[in-house]
Amino acid sequence: MKGEARTLEIINKIREHRENEKQLEWRGTFKEYLELVKEYPHIAQTSHSRVYNMIKDAGVVERDNQKMYKFFGDDIFGLEESLEKLVEEYFHSAARRLDVKKRILMLMGPVSGGKSTIVTMLKRGLEQYTRTDAGAVYAIEGCPMHEDPLHLIPPHLREDFYEEYGISVEGHLSPLNMMRLEKEYNGNIEDVMVERIFFSEDKRIGVGTFSPSDPKSQDIADLTGSIDFSTIAEYGSESDPRAYRFDGELNKANRGIMEFQEMLKCDEKFLWHLLSLSEEGNFKAGRFALISADELIVAHTNEAEYKAFINNKKNEALHSRIIVMNIPYNLKVTEEERIYEKMIDKSDMANVHIAPHALRTAAIFSILTRLKEPKNQSVDLVKKMKLYDGEELEGFKEQDVEELKKEYQDEGMDGIDPRYVINRISSAIIRKDVQSINALDVLRSLKDGLDQHASISDEDKERYLDFIAAARKEYDEAAKKEVQKAFVYSYEESAKTLMDNYLDNVEAYCNKNKIKDPLTGEEMSPDEKLMRSIEEQIGISENAKRAFREEILIRISAYARKGKKFDYNSHERLREAIQQKLFADLKDVVKITTSTKTPDESQLKKINEVIARLIDEHGYNSVSANELLRYVGSLLNR
Ligand SMILES: Nc1ncnc2c1ncn2[C@@H]1O[C@H](COP(=O)(O)OP(=O)(O)O)[C@@H](O)[C@H]1O
Ligand SMILES: [Mg+2]
């Protein structure tokens, strides 16, 4: 497309967007609004209820008794249990007007564990949701606090209203709208103009963020608004609500959500406002009667800060007004990998080649630092890590995983955070000066970083070094497998040859025959050594070998009777034994081919084949594939 055409396209899109927004607009009298409420009662829901419905409407799937919310699905990984608790125990209960609504929501968890991300998703989500039918919100027109129009219903009529509409109205009309009702509408409630509003943090509608600055200089006005001295002369008095600017964060976030950053670092006087707001649904501003507000307040903190707060007697009254939800680190390797992928996609490293297993290896390290030592003696930390990630390990059942999880209530509240890992990956890239890094580069960088990490104690450092070694071990296994697989594929033929050979021997063994050497025609006894070397791969003992061999012969004749061909895939365990034997045999080929400094022609051909396969089928580039081969070569020669 030419530049001009592209500009035109963008302009058209902007116009379209504007027209869509226009379509959503609504303006009418309070009387008309009531008709709307009659038809669509959900437009009058509380802020908590709207947040809950937003999450629910995005879709919930249940798997293995675990709810998963699509709302969080694209950005938060591995925190299903915590999110279910948060949504059910807080949002759902609060939506039903239960007591939890009266408490400030406090997300508590370790640094970079996703708390801010969750809050941001709620904020951005609400902005979108209020642009849908299900999430529509209406307010008294021109009100700086976007006051709920239902506040116009006089208290003595609210019972009747409830009878008729099934909606209980909480909160009373603000001093400003009370005055406007008199002055602009002559007290005629039904004429008061109502409009549909669309949340937008940028425009300060329904979404706000409060972050404390220096506690000594910070003004409560940031939270609750302030007198507008320039208009006092016009209105004659400081207590005229028109001379007040309702532009604090609490005012602006009314009907929606306010994020309270660093709440526990805040001066107490700020917290008391919140208390009354959450508990009574109102707060005090200027010289006015209490102002009703309906908003979800969400704060976040780490464990240490929270404990200090709890231990301070002065804060006692606040404790019971806060509901704490744990947001621990993710504890699943596979999900941790996804976190890194997401963070890298969003960073300036997005076009760097990251070799397969690099992120997984880093994830293994991180998860190990977060897990607590199992009390169950038969499980070590690496096994626990695998079980948590849903791997099936021999001798363990699903029940065992549940038992492990129950051993600790507060797992995942410390350890290495995702941002640290991303920083180390980034510095590995800078140091290597190649647009390609592998698992070893990452591990090395993680290790180097431990010295610079201020908050790691010497004791932890020792443990972490062990975890780096453990992650390295896992990587070594994966690397060897990957290379062997790449070799084996070209050996598909040899798998078949090996099996045919095995079957000939088995047949002779069972029928007490000799077999003929294909070359010399010489008669020989069955090759016991060959048969055993294959059977041992899947743990068939000397005593069990006869039964196994006979079973195979029976299978072959059953196949023959049905006119089917017995091949490589016809007997699962046999196939596995052959594959493993091949791997074991290949070890030498791989070892020699990968480590030779002066490959001959056929070795060179093999190497190129393997590298091509690593690139085409396994996600490597030529740098990382060569690095992998060299590394596996050195491993096999140890
Ligand atoms: N469980 C997780 N799922 C997805 N991303 C995560 C998760 N935990 C941390 N992150 C990512 O790590 C980074 C730091 O998270 P952040 O939300 O700022 O943490 P916090 O506010 O708890 O310190 C963000 O890029 C975030 O997306
Ligand atoms: Mg944060």
Side-chain angles (χ1 to χ4, degrees):
M1 220 189 297
K2 282 236 188 76
E4 203 177 321
R6 208 172 294 142
T7 310
L8 203 64
E9 194 186 54
I10 290 172
I11 296 290
N12 279 336
K13 278 200 177 133
I14 293 173
R15 188 175 300 142
E16 202 178 307
H17 178 75
R18 196 168 55 227
E19 274 157 17
N20 284 344
E21 295 269 293
K22 268 232 144 26
Q23 290 250 307
L24 295 178
E25 280 172 14
W26 186 93
R27 184 169 184 270
T29 61
F30 182 60
K31 184 161 165 278
E32 287 163 331
Y33 174 67
L34 284 183
E35 281 157 20
L36 217 52
V37 172
K38 186 93 204 171
E39 198 169 346
Y40 309 106
H42 70 267
I43 62 176
Q45 66 190 321
T46 62
S47 58
H48 288 80
S49 165
R50 189 170 286 108
V51 171
Y52 173 66
N53 284 319
M54 162 179 80
I55 296 169
K56 197 166 60 90
D57 287 355
V60 189
V61 279
E62 199 155 336
R63 200 183 303 153
D64 304 334
N65 257 332
Q66 175 66 64
K67 284 204 173 84
M68 319 237 227
Y69 304 95
K70 293 219 177 92
F71 181 82
F72 294 109
D74 288 342
D75 262 308
I76 292 290
F77 307 130
L79 297 186
E80 290 77 17
E81 281 160 47
S82 309
L83 289 175
E84 174 166 357
K85 202 160 157 8
L86 172 65
V87 174
E88 287 307 318
E89 288 181 21
Y90 186 76
F91 293 132
H92 194 183
S93 308
R96 287 162 33 212
R97 297 178 189 246
L98 298 181
D99 197 51
V100 294
K101 178 179 158 212
K102 297 185 172 176
R103 300 210 250 156
I104 295 169
L105 173 62
M106 169 79 76
L107 305 181
M108 176 173 78
V111 59
S112 287
K115 301 182 295 299
S116 299
T117 307
I118 291 172
V119 177
T120 305
M121 289 180 87
L122 292 173
K123 295 201 296 189
R124 297 294 88 79
L126 265 184
E127 291 173 344
Q128 289 308 314
Y129 194 57
T130 58
R131 286 167 169 78
T132 67
D133 291 344
V137 196
Y138 296 77
I140 295 176
E141 190 180 71
C143 170
M145 282 183 65
H146 347 286
E147 183 161 18
D148 183 350
L150 294 184
H151 285 178
L152 287 162
I153 297 172
H156 66 276
L157 293 180
R158 289 191 178 176
E159 212 157 295
D160 293 347
F161 182 78
Y162 181 77
E163 297 278 295
E164 182 65 24
Y165 285 74
I167 297 172
S168 78
V169 181
E170 289 165 21
H172 18 250
L173 196 60
S174 69
L176 178 65
N177 285 322
M178 195 98 82
M179 178 169 266
R180 288 177 62 203
L181 176 61
E182 289 313 315
K183 302 227 154 151
E184 291 172 33
Y185 298 100
N186 287 321
N188 296 323
I189 289 171
E190 65 277 17
D191 294 339
V192 174
M193 290 308 289
V194 172
E195 63 181 345
R196 181 167 174 186
I197 57 170
F198 306 96
F199 288 179
S200 156
E201 182 154 22
D202 291 341
K203 295 185 184 157
R204 306 193 73 208
I205 303 173
V207 180
T209 305
F210 183 77
S211 62
S213 49
D214 175 10
K216 283 177 206 71
S217 66
Q218 185 152 41
D219 195 337
I220 197 78
D222 295 346
L223 210 51
T224 60
S226 58
I227 294 282
D228 183 351
F229 288 101
S230 65
T231 54
I232 294 177
E234 185 183 336
Y235 297 117
S237 146
E238 273 187 37
S239 50
D240 187 311
R242 288 168 302 178
Y244 193 86
R245 273 205 301 254
F246 294 89
D247 64 354
E249 220 50 47
L250 279 180
N251 309 112
K252 290 301 177 184
N254 186 29
R255 315 294 302 282
I257 183 170
M258 189 188 93
E259 172 182 6
F260 203 143
Q261 298 183 333
E262 310 282 2
M263 184 173 114
L264 299 182
K265 293 197 179 76
C266 210
D267 196 87
E268 279 161 76
K269 69 176 183 232
F270 292 85
L271 297 185
W272 289 108
H273 278 277
L274 288 190
L275 264 197
S276 112
L277 174 60
S278 60
E279 194 165 343
E280 318 290 344
N282 53 39
F283 64 91
K284 183 100 179 110
R287 302 192 170 178
F288 311 113
L290 293 163
I291 295 177
S292 298
D294 163 36
E295 56 201 274
L296 170 74
I297 296 173
V298 49
H300 30 106
T301 181
N302 61 45
E303 205 172 12
E305 194 176 67
Y306 183 69
K307 281 198 175 132
F309 173 79
I310 285 289
N311 289 334
N312 187 343
K313 272 247 171 303
K314 266 197 335 200
N315 297 324
E316 226 157 50
L318 286 160
H319 297 173
S320 60
R321 308 317 322 167
I322 294 176
I323 187 162
V324 178
M325 288 284 160
N326 279 10
I327 306 293
Y329 286 137
N330 154 56
L331 297 176
K332 297 185 189 122
V333 172
T334 308
E335 301 295 328
E336 188 72 7
E337 234 184 311
R338 292 178 71 197
I339 297 177
Y340 302 158
E341 277 163 9
K342 178 192 76 171
M343 292 171 83
I344 288 172
D345 269 353
K346 288 183 180 165
S347 76
D348 54 4
M349 298 185 271
N351 49 13
V352 173
H353 171 75
I354 297 182
H357 304 293
L359 298 184
R360 188 170 186 84
T361 306
I364 288 174
F365 165 70
S366 305
I367 303 294
L368 286 174
T369 68
R370 298 172 190 170
L371 293 179
K372 290 196 196 285
E373 200 61 50
K375 290 176 184 159
N376 177 347
Q377 296 285 320
S378 67
V379 190
D380 64 19
L381 210 60
V382 171
K383 274 205 184 117
K384 177 170 173 176
M385 167 198 86
K386 291 182 178 175
L387 288 169
Y388 271 27
D389 199 27
E391 264 186 60
E392 285 176 18
L393 297 189
E394 202 159 318
F396 291 97
K397 297 188 296 288
E398 197 131 327
Q399 184 60 26
D400 298 317
V401 185
E402 291 311 311
E403 294 294 322
L404 276 175
K405 284 185 183 163
K406 276 192 217 130
E407 283 184 353
Y408 296 98
Q409 290 307 311
D410 56 346
E411 203 165 28
M413 295 303 270
D414 53 23
I416 287 290
D417 64 280
R419 200 163 262 150
Y420 171 77
V421 173
I422 295 301
N423 289 342
R424 295 316 301 167
I425 290 177
S426 152
S427 78
I429 290 168
I430 291 164
R431 183 173 44 189
K432 202 174 168 194
D433 204 25
V434 177
Q435 292 293 297
S436 166
I437 61 159
N438 62 36
L440 296 175
D441 299 322
V442 174
L443 280 183
R444 200 175 305 119
S445 183
L446 283 170
K447 190 172 169 186
D448 293 346
L450 292 182
D451 291 325
Q452 300 157 24
H453 203 303
S455 64
I456 299 180
S457 66
D458 283 351
E459 193 192 329
D460 277 344
K461 209 181 130 185
E462 283 299 306
R463 279 174 56 233
Y464 288 6
L465 288 175
D466 287 346
F467 296 147
I468 286 182
R472 164 94 181 257
K473 216 168 121 205
E474 294 297 313
Y475 171 65
D476 288 354
E477 281 312 306
K480 276 192 272 189
K481 255 209 197 108
E482 190 116 280
V483 169
Q484 275 167 333
K485 247 195 269 165
F487 267 90
V488 158
Y489 187 76
S490 51
Y491 277 60
E492 189 80 13
E493 271 309 297
S494 24
K496 194 177 166 302
T497 313
L498 183 60
M499 189 173 80
D500 288 346
N501 199 352
Y502 175 75
L503 292 179
D504 285 345
N505 280 286
V506 163
E507 201 170 10
Y509 169 86
C510 291
N511 298 335
K512 303 199 164 56
N513 284 342
K514 299 263 173 196
I515 63 166
K516 260 199 186 111
D517 186 303
L519 274 183
T520 59
E522 208 178 321
E523 297 239 308
M524 307 181 305
S525 303
D527 186 345
E528 194 53 39
K529 205 169 145 225
L530 173 86
M531 286 186 287
R532 289 304 293 145
S533 73
I534 291 171
E535 289 153 3
E536 275 162 4
Q537 302 291 337
I538 50 169
I540 290 172
S541 71
E542 188 64 31
N543 287 334
K545 72 180 183 191
R546 171 170 289 275
F548 183 73
R549 293 172 189 175
E550 281 171 352
E551 186 212 313
I552 286 178
L553 275 198
I554 291 169
R555 178 80 61 96
I556 292 179
S557 57
Y559 265 65
R561 260 202 315 280
K562 287 186 211 149
K564 285 205 303 188
K565 194 174 163 324
F566 186 92
D567 70 9
Y568 184 61
N569 289 313
S570 306
H571 193 287
E572 181 106 17
R573 293 188 70 212
L574 178 59
R575 186 185 64 186
E576 174 153 349
I578 296 281
Q579 247 173 16
Q580 289 196 18
K581 165 75 174 134
L582 220 52
F583 261 40
D585 286 354
L586 221 74
K587 208 170 150 183
D588 293 327
V589 182
V590 177
K591 185 165 149 179
I592 294 164
T593 317
T594 52
S595 59
T596 173
K597 295 247 161 23
T598 51
D600 62 26
E601 200 172 317
S602 79
Q603 283 172 329
L604 207 57
K605 189 164 163 262
K606 177 105 284 153
I607 290 175
N608 288 335
E609 256 173 48
V610 167
I611 287 196
R613 201 164 296 126
L614 285 171
I615 295 173
D616 295 344
E617 294 167 22
H618 301 275
Y620 289 81
N621 71 2
S622 71
V623 177
S624 64
N626 276 293
E627 285 170 344
L628 177 73
L629 271 197
R630 231 175 300 134
Y631 180 61
V632 170
S634 77
L635 279 181
L636 294 176
N637 278 295
R638 277 209 187 129

